[in-house]
Amino acid sequence: MTSQSTAPLGQAEEKPKPDVHFPADFVWGVATAAFQIEGSTTADGRGPSIWDTFCATPGKVENGDTGDPACDHYNRYRDDVALMRDLGVGAYRFSVAWPRIQPEGRGKPLEAGLDFYDRLVDCVLEAGIDPWPTLYHWDLPQALEDAGGWPNRDTAKRFADYAEIVYNRLGDRVTHWNTLNEPWCSAFLGYASGVHAPGRREPAAALAAAHHLMLGHGLAVNVIRDLGRQAGRTPLVGIVHNQTTVRPYTDSEADVDAARRIDALRNRIFTEPLVKGRYPEDLLADVAKITDYGFVQDGDLETISTPLDMMGVNFYNPSWVSGNRENGGSDRLPSDDYSPSVGSEHVVDVDPGLPVTAMGWPIDASGMYDTLTRLAADYPGLTLYVTENGAAFEDELVDGAVHDTDRIAYLDAHLRAVHAAIEAGVPLKGYFAWSLMDNFEWALGYGKRFGIVHVDYESQVRTVKDSGRWYSRVIRDGGIIGQR
């Protein structure tokens, strides 16, 4: 007697997915960022950041939302660490708020700010979790922006001073450090398209900002390594880059060139200086009418290319682009005049016709595999971590539960792509889900939820979503085992 399929008539029965096992020493983590979760933006002497100013500017953030109260993590961090412990998380990637340490971006640090991160690191360690601080996740002290911001070379020097302060306070307990989070966003969304703080629309300034962000990174790496050496420690230092896979919409000459241009401006503008100590020649040609790169001084590229212990990769989706405006456009931009694609403003994003997240981002996990294998091929020996990956969906809290099957499917597919990359030889050592909990999603305010833990912003009650329980099981099993 043969068994009968239980699939609906005319629909193929879904086959069980194979188990995937990750290496025993694979790092399983979650990630957050200070401005998105801490709240208490004026507590204990914290100074204003560019995001406080941006939020206070009418029309910049949806619904007029601000960084207060966010998730009130500044006061509830012990409960949040307990959540991570219960989920079985092995590492916590968080960011340090620069204006909480130096309200003016320079000078003597605030003890209250350092004390907070002291307590947080101790609490994380007591829970058996490894702390992974990021020194800069977009919250530049407003006073430094008033002095010119990242387009001003001096900001890189101030960042190195700040890195020294934080390392001196936490370096006896923290091994893994990241300098910057997604410098592309800081430079090109902040200073070119203006959709992020500080909201400037100055293409030449955006390119200078990108350079000075990387210079600040290099200076900070050297500071941390020198301090660690003096103390007999070996800190591991890296940077977090939102590398992605850029695909031409068609095989036309215009679309292939569009993909090359965006790849240069989104990916290689950072990876080539960071790893090889040079800017891509095609990038320099693409932006020659905007800048002669005169802001690059002798020794800068040597500093920027100080060897990395690791590179963090934040991946959400691949992109498809075209050099033909008739093929589409992006609703993420305020207008064609204010594109983040400096020197390539004619290039448009194209809808590939795939399912999308609540952000409107196409879902295609093959982009994760392509991104990781490409980095490994282009920069052999560079240790990689996925430092952010996740998705926003229209979550609903019903009877104390969030059944976010779409998010589980997204995470499942992307973790399988990560595993395939490891099997292909990529030196990938860990994965951090974005995000631990719902939070302030920058210019979109509180309307988009990325967390594996639901947050009721009025009551501040946390509820672990189905995806959080799923991820906890993956961590416990060391992979995706016995799941369909």
Side-chain angles (χ1 to χ4, degrees):
M1 180 177 179
T2 59
S3 61
Q4 293 184 334
S5 170
T6 58
L9 186 64
Q11 178 178 322
E13 184 173 13
E14 183 178 354
K15 295 181 180 180
K17 296 177 182 177
D19 292 349
V20 294
H21 300 263
F22 285 80
D25 60 352
F26 194 75
V27 175
W28 296 101
V30 291
T32 66
F35 193 79
Q36 293 180 271
I37 67 167
E38 284 182 359
S40 300
T41 56
T42 60
D44 298 325
R46 179 192 178 278
S49 73
I50 55 175
W51 271 97
D52 293 289
T53 302
F54 197 73
C55 290
T57 305
K60 294 297 186 182
V61 177
E62 287 191 15
N63 303 314
D65 291 341
T66 73
D68 256 330
C71 305
D72 194 30
H73 179 73
Y74 190 72
N75 297 305
R76 300 171 186 264
Y77 69 93
R78 292 190 181 278
D79 293 338
D80 293 334
V81 172
L83 265 177
M84 288 185 271
R85 180 198 61 215
D86 293 345
L87 290 171
V89 168
Y92 176 40
R93 178 177 168 250
F94 61 95
S95 75
V96 178
W98 190 349
R100 217 178 271 291
I101 307 302
Q102 291 178 298
E104 299 293 317
R106 65 181 75 228
K108 184 178 179 180
L110 274 178
E111 284 301 312
L114 289 169
D115 287 347
F116 170 70
Y117 294 105
D118 247 341
R119 296 191 301 272
L120 176 60
V121 166
D122 285 346
C123 186
V124 167
L125 288 169
E126 288 166 4
I129 299 170
D130 193 17
W132 283 54
T134 298
L135 290 170
Y136 183 73
H137 199 130
W138 306 353
D139 46 1
L140 184 71
Q142 182 61 43
L144 291 184
E145 174 59 28
D146 293 341
W150 284 111
N152 180 359
R153 184 181 183 86
D154 185 65
T155 303
K157 300 175 183 178
R158 302 287 73 76
F159 180 69
D161 294 343
Y162 157 67
E164 178 177 0
I165 290 168
V166 178
Y167 184 81
N168 275 333
R169 189 58 169 262
L170 304 179
D172 60 332
R173 288 153 288 158
V174 172
T175 298
H176 296 88
W177 296 82
N178 283 301
T179 54
L180 308 174
N181 179 78
E182 299 182 359
W184 180 83
C185 293
S186 295
F188 294 101
L189 299 185
Y191 292 95
S193 71
V195 296
H196 276 193
R200 288 164 60 178
R201 294 169 173 173
E202 305 165 31
L207 292 164
H211 180 75
H212 294 142
L213 280 155
M214 287 188 287
L215 179 61
H217 153 81
L219 292 171
V221 171
N222 286 320
V223 164
I224 291 171
R225 289 222 177 103
D226 287 346
L227 292 171
R229 192 178 303 115
Q230 293 168 22
R233 308 183 198 117
T234 308
L236 302 176
V237 194
I239 188 171
V240 172
H241 172 44
N242 54 332
Q243 176 94 1
T244 194
T245 293
V246 183
R247 296 168 174 163
Y249 181 56
T250 72
D251 60 1
S252 70
E253 183 177 347
D255 288 2
V256 170
D257 182 65
R260 177 201 61 76
R261 284 172 170 270
I262 301 306
D263 179 65
L265 197 62
R266 175 70 181 265
N267 296 326
R268 291 181 286 121
I269 188 175
F270 297 106
T271 55
E272 288 290 292
L274 286 166
V275 183
K276 297 185 176 180
R278 67 193 185 201
Y279 279 106
E281 290 295 330
D282 61 326
L283 168 76
L284 298 179
D286 291 342
V287 301
K289 293 182 179 180
I290 297 170
T291 181
D292 61 1
Y293 266 76
F295 43 76
V296 179
Q297 296 186 11
D298 291 344
D300 281 7
L301 289 170
E302 181 180 0
T303 298
I304 289 169
S305 61
T306 299
L308 295 164
D309 294 306
M310 57 191 176
M311 178 178 284
V313 180
N314 290 359
F315 179 85
Y316 292 92
N317 60 278
S319 64
W320 286 258
V321 297
S322 175
N324 182 352
R325 286 186 176 276
E326 294 181 359
N327 284 331
S330 172
D331 60 7
R332 292 181 292 106
L333 308 179
S335 78
D336 291 339
D337 295 332
Y338 302 116
S339 167
S341 303
V342 173
S344 297
E345 290 85 356
H346 65 286
V347 175
V348 293
D349 289 336
V350 181
D351 179 1
L354 296 173
V356 298
T357 68
M359 297 288 287
W361 297 343
I363 301 173
D364 183 354
S366 72
M368 172 74 88
Y369 178 85
D370 291 348
T371 294
L372 295 174
T373 53
R374 187 235 179 135
L375 279 170
D378 288 354
Y379 311 108
L382 179 61
T383 297
L384 302 175
Y385 290 84
V386 173
T387 38
E388 286 183 26
N389 178 238
F393 290 104
E394 301 297 336
D395 298 336
E396 292 185 14
L397 180 66
V398 179
D399 296 330
V402 178
H403 302 304
D404 53 339
T405 55
D406 286 344
R407 183 172 291 106
I408 292 173
Y410 177 98
L411 294 173
D412 180 284
H414 284 78
L415 276 173
R416 291 178 186 277
V418 166
H419 182 265
I422 295 172
E423 292 287 292
V426 174
L428 183 75
K429 304 300 183 183
Y431 174 95
F432 292 75
W434 183 271
S435 176
L436 168 63
M437 54 191 168
D438 298 334
N439 54 56
F440 176 81
E441 183 49 36
W442 306 111
L444 299 179
Y446 295 101
K448 306 298 181 184
R449 293 180 177 269
F450 277 85
I452 58 174
V453 174
H454 180 275
V455 177
D456 182 315
Y457 296 116
E458 291 188 7
S459 68
Q460 291 296 335
V461 169
R462 275 77 159 140
T463 303
V464 178
K465 303 177 187 178
D466 286 358
S467 60
R469 302 184 194 284
W470 179 89
Y471 187 51
S472 180
R473 180 178 171 186
V474 169
I475 295 171
R476 182 197 68 199
D477 292 344
I480 307 174
I481 314 300
Q483 301 188 37
R484 299 189 178 190

